[in-house]
Amino acid sequence: MKMTFRWYGEKDPIPLQYIRQIPNMSGVVTAVYDVPVGEVWPTERIAALKSMCDANGLKMEVIESVPVHEDIKLGKATRDKLIENYAKTIRNLGKFGVRCICYNFMPVFDWLRTDLKTKNPDGSTCLSYEHEKLTALDPSDLHLPGWDESYTPAQLDGLIREYKAVTHEKLFENLVYFLNGIMPACDETGINMAIHPDDPPWDMFGLPRIITGEESFDRLFSAVKNRHNGVTFCTGSLGAGRGNNLPKMAEKYADRIFFAHIRQLRYKGKYDFAEAGHRTEDGDLNIFAIVRALVRSGFDGYVRPDHGRNIWGENGKPGYGLYDRALGAAYLNGLFEAAEYYEKAVK
Ligand code: DNO
């Protein structure tokens, strides 16, 4: 596996040099953040980002994310032009050694939580989700992390209304249309597309969510067989779906998993959960069994420690501080090292 770390570009308070100092860190996962969704990422911007990584001995082989324009998800007439732009961005990224693009197909909202600073007994804080609290909110007036704050309430309202006509079936068809449109650019550049599961993996505010577990993965791979069509195996997103058997899925889809986001959570109710430190013993997901299943199945993709807690007084970006993610990387390095040695020894 290739260990990586998410870095939010020049505005990220975490210096690349610190990231480089984490044992076994091969590269960063980053993006050009200020090109409006739907426009082509200019080569100069990609080049500038890559040279910062190079100067710090870090590779830039994974992009998270190249966002997908809502018109593509909605299947509007403008989508062909937008898909063409997306393919141009893929080609531009290919010129700079990018191997994998993480993206999602969630309508309007990306990941959703209800609290960014839930206090743990040891004084650390974490992100958490309470279903009742979330469903009581007005979706056109939300200020939560992980999605485009630039929408006005009226725009949000309009978008949500447009989605009323989009069923799960239709959204899935639109995803397939999008993938078929960009696969030629992936074939040319060798770039793998890794869809991020919906987080959490259920419908939100009446908006359909379609990448939620095993059934949706099966459907996705049978609809688009191209080998560049794959997934980001996000243990926290998939793990919030109580029916998902993650070690089984890790094994079953190992050759379609191009990128793994590994994190832990603790169930608090039927839907509710709080995020936790990465160790298996610290939550309800068997991180050891997931890593073991990935390694046993020959997984050789990119891994990043996902959301950490805020610890040691750091006031980091929620989920994305330095300290707990660095601890997560160290822990995951140990699990992978053990699993890989074991695999070699028994074979
Ligand atoms: C949250 C992230 C997501 C992810 C996107 C991918 O922490 O995992 O925001 O980057 O869904 O497009």
Side-chain angles (χ1 to χ4, degrees):
M1 64 86 181
K2 294 171 274 284
M3 183 58 78
T4 60
F5 205 78
R6 191 170 195 183
W7 181 65
Y8 283 92
E10 269 178 305
K11 289 197 184 128
D12 194 319
I14 304 170
L16 283 172
Q17 197 188 19
Y18 286 11
I19 297 176
R20 180 73 186 99
Q21 290 166 358
I22 302 168
N24 193 34
M25 200 46 71
S26 74
V28 288
V29 170
T30 188
V32 171
Y33 286 98
D34 49 8
V35 172
V37 179
E39 287 180 20
V40 181
W41 289 10
T43 48
E44 315 81 73
R45 304 301 311 285
I46 303 168
L49 201 58
K50 181 171 160 57
S51 66
M52 281 186 262
C53 301
D54 285 346
N56 286 280
L58 290 162
K59 295 195 168 112
M60 189 190 79
E61 295 180 346
V62 185
I63 296 296
E64 179 177 351
S65 312
V66 180
V68 179
H69 197 280
E70 295 299 331
D71 286 7
I72 297 179
K73 298 181 221 167
L74 285 161
K76 288 167 90 165
T78 42
R79 70 176 160 177
D80 291 325
K81 176 77 194 137
L82 291 161
I83 292 174
E84 205 183 300
N85 285 353
Y86 202 103
K88 279 189 192 147
T89 296
I90 293 177
R91 290 191 178 97
N92 285 351
L93 289 169
K95 291 179 198 148
F96 294 91
V98 168
R99 313 295 311 149
C100 175
I101 296 173
C102 170
Y103 71 104
N104 75 76
F105 218 74
M106 289 175 253
V108 193
F109 304 105
D110 191 338
W111 57 311
L112 291 170
R113 298 290 181 276
T114 48
D115 187 12
L116 302 180
K117 286 204 168 167
T118 303
K119 195 119 182 176
N120 296 313
D122 64 3
S124 61
T125 61
C126 67
L127 303 155
S128 65
Y129 175 87
E130 281 178 68
H131 197 60
E132 264 183 35
K133 247 193 204 168
L134 191 104
T135 45
L137 296 173
D138 172 3
S140 58
D141 195 24
L142 273 186
H143 303 281
L144 291 172
W147 60 280
D148 193 346
E149 278 275 357
S150 62
Y151 290 126
T152 62
Q155 283 169 325
L156 266 179
D157 210 40
L159 256 182
I160 292 171
R161 218 160 316 123
E162 282 190 82
Y163 271 103
K164 291 247 174 341
V166 181
T167 57
H168 292 83
E169 205 51 48
K170 193 76 208 142
L171 186 63
F172 183 78
E173 273 170 30
N174 295 344
L175 170 61
V176 171
Y177 186 94
F178 164 69
L179 283 170
N180 285 333
I182 60 168
M183 283 296 126
C186 294
D187 288 332
E188 266 169 52
T189 55
I191 289 182
N192 290 322
M193 293 302 297
I195 195 166
H196 191 285
D198 304 337
D199 181 8
W202 47 76
D203 292 0
M204 284 290 173
F205 306 118
L207 297 165
R209 289 191 155 196
I210 52 169
I211 302 296
T212 54
E214 201 172 328
E215 212 177 294
S216 34
F217 281 13
D218 285 341
R219 233 175 134 210
L220 177 67
F221 302 137
S222 76
V224 181
K225 298 210 162 51
N226 189 303
R227 301 306 302 175
H228 295 295
N229 171 33
V231 296
T232 296
F233 196 74
C234 178
T235 61
S237 309
L238 292 166
R242 307 299 196 266
N244 285 329
N245 178 336
L246 298 190
K248 179 184 166 212
M249 290 176 74
E251 189 150 354
K252 180 168 171 190
Y253 303 110
D255 63 341
R256 294 275 188 172
I257 297 174
F258 300 132
F259 187 21
H261 286 180
I262 306 189
R263 70 177 153 88
Q264 179 60 291
L265 45 83
R266 171 101 43 215
Y267 300 141
K268 299 285 183 183
K270 192 167 168 219
Y271 294 103
D272 301 355
F273 60 85
E275 297 185 358
H278 292 76
R279 276 183 354 127
T280 294
E281 289 300 313
D282 292 339
D284 288 310
L285 304 180
N286 192 335
I287 303 294
F288 165 74
I290 294 166
V291 169
R292 172 100 180 80
L294 284 171
V295 171
R296 194 172 40 215
S297 319
F299 168 79
D300 192 29
Y302 299 93
V303 171
R304 73 168 177 79
D306 203 4
H307 303 180
R309 303 159 300 155
N310 254 314
I311 60 170
W312 300 340
E314 185 183 20
N315 189 21
K317 191 175 170 64
Y320 287 97
L322 171 64
Y323 303 144
D324 202 35
R325 282 192 300 148
L327 289 179
Y331 167 68
L332 293 171
N333 279 334
L335 281 189
F336 271 94
E337 182 176 304
E340 284 167 2
Y341 267 108
Y342 180 79
E343 253 344 273
K344 273 186 220 137
V346 293
K347 271 180 186 160

